[in-house]
Amino acid sequence: MGNANAAEELSSTAQALVAPGKGILAADESTGTIEKRFKSISVPSTEENRRRYRQMLFTTGRIGDHVSGAILYDETIRQKGSDGTPFPEVLRRAGVIPGIKVDTGTKPLPGCPNEVVTEGLDGLRERLAGYRDLGARFAKWRAVITIGDGLPTETCLHVNAHALARYAALCQEALLVPIVEPEVLMDGAHPIERCYEVTRSALDTVFAELRFQRVRLEGMLLKPNMVIAGGKCPRQASVQDVARETVCCLRRTVPASVPGIVFLSGGQSDVVATEHLDAMNRIGPHPWRLSFSYGRALQHPAMAAWKGEPSRVPAAQKIFFHRARMNGAAAAGKYSAALEREAAAAS
Ligand code: 13P
């Protein structure tokens, strides 16, 4: 494919992922993480249970009305629905673009106690080609930045930004839209101002590396944390403050050529994550689309309703659809408590 066609394909996929009123389902929990989530509902984490759970999500009726793309894990992209249809095809038929998590997790960062670096660059070019053959059209790589006493170090910000840019450049070569995810964790007792400072440095470092490594900003999406007080901070910020600080931080760091910003939920409760996204869209217009790429905030209530029981699949799907619809409304700045209640009552 020529350069112009490749650039065109990447930007049209990126734009489709942030189509009005739609966002991304992050269903790419590693085997270790999904085991933790299943433990909370007392379901053993077997390969078949993981398949049945993801099938419940992906076969939700009209999922494509509010979900533009779904991020899968290596095991998941190779699994099939009960009728033998591969999951990427199940999604494609529902109007959902299949994506894939391609980092291989974090390891301690040498010389930087309590900090981590994300791995997965070795052999990445070949793995990306394989994922594209399996139907993936976008990818995700998550870097983790911890706030603490003297943390993050410049070293941590720099090595993680370098790896994110290496990954993003390789994705674009393979015709996969890179979702670039530098997550500043909300763990800790720090105030919102500290999260603002760290997020701003992290994003500045990431965009400097992306430019240096010639990543085309039109053909990527950013997946950041919101600017929010640490979970243990006694002074929690209001929804309006989180929206204002987050938008301010992004306007100072993210070029307008990036088509969309899709937030992670990072441990926020499901309704609060929706409220924050809605509040940000209400203070627009913005140069980029602001939408969601939620894992826990989209799945948590549905997983709790499912409990591993086949008979509970329809009820869990209704709950999942409801959350997706509420976040779709928030992505358009049209969410309200009344809509939350009405839609819940009707479902
Ligand atoms: P959460 O929304 O649960 O933070 O998950 C999103 C994600 O993909 C983290 O990498």
Side-chain angles (χ1 to χ4, degrees):
M1 193 180 278
N3 273 351
N5 286 346
E8 180 55 38
E9 178 177 339
L10 287 169
S11 35
S12 70
T13 303
Q15 280 163 24
L17 287 168
V18 287
K22 293 189 191 187
I24 297 171
L25 163 66
D28 60 329
E29 297 84 359
S30 64
T31 308
T33 301
I34 197 82
E35 181 167 8
K36 250 195 325 202
R37 307 260 190 272
F38 276 8
K39 211 169 229 160
S40 70
I41 52 164
S42 305
V43 170
S45 183
T46 60
E47 182 175 349
E48 176 58 9
N49 282 343
R50 294 192 290 270
R51 190 195 66 78
R52 291 195 306 116
Y53 174 65
R54 266 69 180 246
Q55 170 167 268
M56 181 277 285
L57 296 175
F58 303 158
T59 59
T60 295
R62 294 176 40 220
I63 179 179
D65 288 3
H66 310 292
V67 174
S68 56
I71 317 175
L72 311 179
Y73 184 58
D74 182 75
E75 175 186 273
T76 322
I77 200 170
R78 302 169 198 282
Q79 286 179 322
K80 297 180 167 77
S82 299
D83 67 354
T85 311
F87 277 156
E89 181 59 19
V90 170
L91 290 166
R92 213 190 50 76
R93 287 183 197 160
V96 177
I97 304 172
I100 179 75
K101 182 230 294 292
V102 301
D103 67 71
T104 56
T106 59
K107 288 281 164 61
L109 179 59
C112 297
N114 304 316
E115 296 194 296
V116 292
V117 60
T118 302
E119 296 197 331
L121 289 172
D122 287 355
L124 183 57
R125 173 177 274 132
E126 293 72 24
R127 287 199 291 126
L128 293 177
Y131 288 137
R132 168 123 187 149
D133 287 347
L134 287 168
R137 291 296 175 266
F138 71 102
K140 181 194 108 171
W141 176 292
R142 171 175 176 256
V144 179
I145 294 140
T146 306
I147 298 182
D149 205 10
L151 303 186
T153 60
E154 281 290 321
T155 315
C156 174
L157 294 182
H158 184 76
V159 298
N160 277 294
H162 181 267
L164 276 167
R166 285 268 284 127
Y167 138 84
L170 282 162
C171 281
Q172 292 189 334
E173 181 192 78
L175 288 177
L176 297 174
V177 170
I179 296 193
V180 171
E181 180 180 8
E183 175 173 6
V184 177
L185 295 177
M186 59 185 271
D187 299 351
H190 53 270
I192 187 169
E193 292 81 4
R194 180 93 178 102
C195 181
Y196 176 96
E197 248 170 60
V198 173
T199 303
R200 179 159 183 191
S201 311
L203 293 176
D204 277 340
T205 314
V206 164
F207 280 98
E209 273 298 332
L210 290 170
R211 270 194 302 276
F212 189 65
Q213 298 193 39
R214 306 181 181 199
V215 173
R216 272 192 88 255
L217 300 182
E218 293 81 357
M220 64 160 276
L221 296 175
L222 177 73
K223 175 163 175 169
N225 53 284
M226 296 179 197
V227 174
I228 194 169
K232 293 205 178 102
C233 178
R235 187 165 57 85
Q236 287 296 315
S238 66
V239 169
Q240 289 314 317
D241 285 347
V242 169
R244 205 181 43 247
E245 294 300 310
T246 304
V247 165
C248 174
C249 187
L250 295 169
R251 291 186 83 101
R252 288 175 172 170
T253 51
V254 185
S257 48
V258 172
I261 297 175
V262 288
F263 294 97
L264 58 91
S265 59
Q268 298 178 38
S269 78
D270 47 355
V271 171
V272 171
T274 308
E275 289 172 348
H276 284 154
L277 179 62
D278 182 64
M280 285 187 270
N281 276 304
R282 282 176 191 266
I283 54 178
H286 304 300
W288 356 253
R289 281 199 191 284
L290 294 184
S291 188
F292 58 92
S293 175
Y294 292 162
R296 283 162 286 179
L298 264 177
Q299 296 182 50
H300 179 259
M303 186 186 278
W306 174 64
K307 291 196 177 76
E309 296 288 335
S311 64
R312 301 177 74 113
V313 165
Q317 288 182 327
K318 259 191 188 164
I319 291 171
F320 173 60
F321 183 80
H322 170 66
R323 238 13 294 133
R325 183 168 163 229
M326 293 303 99
N327 284 305
K334 292 187 174 151
Y335 169 77
S336 66
L339 184 65
E340 180 83 60
R341 280 192 306 271
E342 274 164 37
S347 60

